[in-house]
Amino acid sequence: MTPDIQIRALDASDAQAFRTLRLEALAGSPEAFGASYEEDEALPLETIRTRLSSHPNAVFGAFAGDTLVGMAGFAVYDRVKARHKGVLWGVYVKPEWRGHHVGKRLVQRVIDHAARHVIMVEAAVGLTNDGARRTYHALGFQPYGIQRKALRVGDTFYDEELLFLDLPQPAED
Ligand SMILES: CC(C)(COP(=O)(O)OP(=O)(O)OC[C@H]1O[C@@H](n2cnc3c(N)ncnc32)[C@H](O)[C@@H]1OP(=O)(O)O)[C@@H](O)C(=O)NCCC(=O)NCCS
């Protein structure tokens, strides 16, 4: 059965829920994320509130009732010559909610949002992360390379597949 999940953009008032889920993600799947648990644990809540209010950057959350059970982030490159590109980051679904297309819906929301602001979205995914790779490929992301030893967790190195998704030129406001 498809669970009743609502997806919406997070805002500053979601900072604590975001922080809790983000730390769960970093603790449970350290090889899937560029950030470490320790780095994010040290972030002041105010910094998270600011990040959640930095349009057009955005984090989309999947809610089961009032509970945040998944999320996916989008960030635009800062530098002038790269502002036509964005990055998909921080895709995570709580283990008990996986397998119901929550991840797919979250990434699709990022794509829909990104299409209003950039002409390309980049992503990086662990080479052995079948779930995330399948999700991204199904939504149109194309692999363009492999970064060897992209991440190091303890003594283990992880290779990542690099992906891009072309988007139509956004209309001028
Ligand atoms: C990757 C992740 C977000 C997927 O979330 P999810 O809600 O279970 O994914 P979905 O249900 O939307 O699945 C999307 C597709 O991938 C497939 N898939 C999902 N997990 C899979 C797995 N472990 N192995 C193989 N296929 C998988 C699904 O069958 C589905 O394919 P379909 O559309 O053909 O049916 C989730 O497993 C997760 O949070 N993993 C840990 C963190 C992580 O790896 N994040 C990605 C960082 S790049």
Side-chain angles (χ1 to χ4, degrees), residues 7-152:
I7 295 184
R8 65 166 172 82
L10 302 185
D11 62 28
S13 68
D14 299 303
Q16 187 58 59
F18 168 88
R19 184 173 198 273
T20 301
L21 190 63
R22 176 77 173 157
L23 292 179
E24 174 187 310
L26 296 176
S29 306
E31 72 291 346
F33 303 103
S36 72
Y37 183 95
E38 292 73 18
E39 282 168 329
D40 270 42
E41 193 188 27
L43 285 179
L45 207 54
E46 197 48 40
T47 303
I48 297 173
R49 286 194 193 101
T50 303
R51 285 187 186 175
L52 293 178
S53 319
S54 303
H55 182 82
N57 295 346
V59 178
F60 292 90
F63 288 85
D66 292 337
T67 307
L68 183 64
V69 301
M71 61 192 183
F74 169 73
V76 178
Y77 281 98
D78 275 340
R79 305 198 72 179
V80 172
K81 293 181 192 171
R83 282 183 196 158
H84 57 290
K85 298 184 293 184
V87 181
L88 170 69
W89 66 273
V91 179
Y92 180 73
V93 175
K94 277 172 111 42
E96 60 271 33
W97 289 92
R98 290 179 193 168
H100 297 286
H101 288 159
V102 177
K104 216 169 177 177
R105 286 176 59 194
L106 281 164
V107 176
Q108 185 62 58
R109 279 298 286 271
V110 167
I111 294 169
D112 294 345
H113 173 79
R116 293 198 288 276
H117 302 286
V118 295
I119 60 166
M120 181 185 288
V121 181
E122 299 177 349
V125 59
L127 212 46
T128 58
N129 189 344
D130 293 336
R133 287 183 70 208
R134 183 157 173 169
T135 303
Y136 299 170
H137 293 182
L139 293 171
F141 280 87
Q142 298 182 49
Y144 68 91
I146 291 169
Q147 186 173 25
R148 298 284 173 208
K149 299 184 180 177
L151 299 179
R152 178 180 177 174

